[in-house]
Amino acid sequence: MDLLNHDLAHEFPEHVEKMRELKMSDAHFAKLFSEYDEDNHAIAKYELGGAVISDDALDSMKKKRLKTKDEIYRLLQA
């Protein structure tokens, strides 16, 4: 598996259908999903050398992504 591949379909493959449903029916979930996707793409760009960022800033982005992922997982479990 690609170490940079943290999209939600790879993170939660058993919940792909539920994520689709929630994106359509739950505005809060859709917002979290979008935020996670944007952060994930930005982090991947930095990790691949497409842009420059400090280590502290990158770590902060990763922590934010993790917090968002935890919230998404909590909603998937509900």
Side-chain angles (χ1 to χ4, degrees), residues 1 5-17 19-20 23 29 33 36-37 40 69 72 76:
M1 184 167 113
N5 198 347
H6 291 282
D7 66 27
L8 290 169
H10 283 90
E11 295 290 323
F12 306 122
E14 68 279 12
H15 295 292
V16 171
E17 187 57 37
M19 284 189 285
R20 282 189 199 122
K23 283 194 305 183
F29 183 87
F33 191 95
Y36 181 91
D37 195 46
N40 190 48
K69 184 171 79 170
I72 288 170
L76 290 171

Side-chain angles (χ1 to χ4, degrees), residues 3 5 12 18 24 42 45 51 72:
L3 293 176
N5 198 347
F12 306 122
K18 187 167 185 180
M24 301 300 286
K45 181 175 85 173
I72 288 170

